[in-house]
Amino acid sequence: MRGPIAEEIAGLTWFLTVLGLVVYLLVLVLFVVPMWRRRRAAADEPDPHAGESVPAATANRWIVLGGVVLPVLVLPVALGVSVATMRDLPFDAPSDALVVDVTGHRWWWSVHYPDHGVTLANEIHIPVGRPVELRLASTDVIHSFWVPKLAGKIDALP
């Protein structure tokens, strides 16, 4: 079971992964197909112009297509989906959320439940099905707090 924020971030991650894979395959095809065609043409009949460079117009066309047009099409899509996903994420905890103060110390975490007056070391206990507000802090160095099934990694800064 994952938290709702983790579901949204996982969906964004999968979208960007698939988009990156599609772009990678497109670039690979654009790289391999001309080499394959040239090799095939060379095997069929000798080219009297062997050793000549590619015409500048053809080279420029591929540079403009692969270096300008493709990024101009792909990057706004990736940015738009990322911004839309991040905009939809809730940043404020509901009013009935259990408040947990988590403080990073060098080599350990202190976990305090202000509503119950309980403090634990290196353990977090949260109820199932109830929203939780984690308030992170650090006393000494940057600590990375990560609960994989709830959401992404968060850094606690001193």
Side-chain angles (χ1 to χ4, degrees):
M1 180 176 181
R2 293 183 185 168
I5 294 174
E7 290 290 336
E8 291 288 327
I9 293 172
L12 175 62
T13 302
W14 279 110
F15 174 78
L16 293 175
T17 301
V18 170
L19 183 64
L21 182 63
V22 168
V23 169
Y24 172 76
L25 291 175
L26 180 64
V27 169
L28 189 64
V29 166
L30 290 175
F31 180 73
V32 171
V33 167
M35 291 188 334
W36 179 73
R37 284 184 181 171
R38 185 167 176 96
R39 178 177 283 178
R40 187 172 160 199
D44 289 347
E45 57 186 64
D47 186 4
H49 302 290
E52 291 182 12
S53 63
V54 176
T58 303
N60 288 341
R61 181 181 65 199
W62 287 110
I63 290 171
V64 168
L65 180 66
V68 177
V69 174
L70 185 62
V72 165
L73 294 176
V74 171
L75 291 177
V77 171
L79 178 65
V81 172
S82 298
V83 168
T85 300
M86 297 311 230
R87 187 186 63 226
D88 292 342
L89 294 179
F91 286 100
D92 295 326
S95 60
D96 64 336
L98 173 67
V99 176
V100 181
D101 293 325
V102 181
T103 305
H105 303 274
R106 200 169 291 213
W107 316 117
W108 67 286
W109 294 89
S110 66
V111 181
H112 179 69
Y113 298 85
D115 295 341
H116 303 289
V118 176
T119 302
L120 301 171
N122 296 325
E123 289 184 27
I124 296 178
H125 297 273
I126 57 174
V128 175
R130 182 174 175 196
V132 176
E133 178 182 0
L134 295 173
R135 299 188 301 199
L136 296 178
S138 173
T139 60
D140 41 32
V141 297
I142 298 174
H143 294 276
S144 293
F145 183 83
W146 184 41
V147 180
K149 293 198 176 225
L150 295 181
K153 180 182 79 77
I154 300 171
D155 289 331
L157 304 173

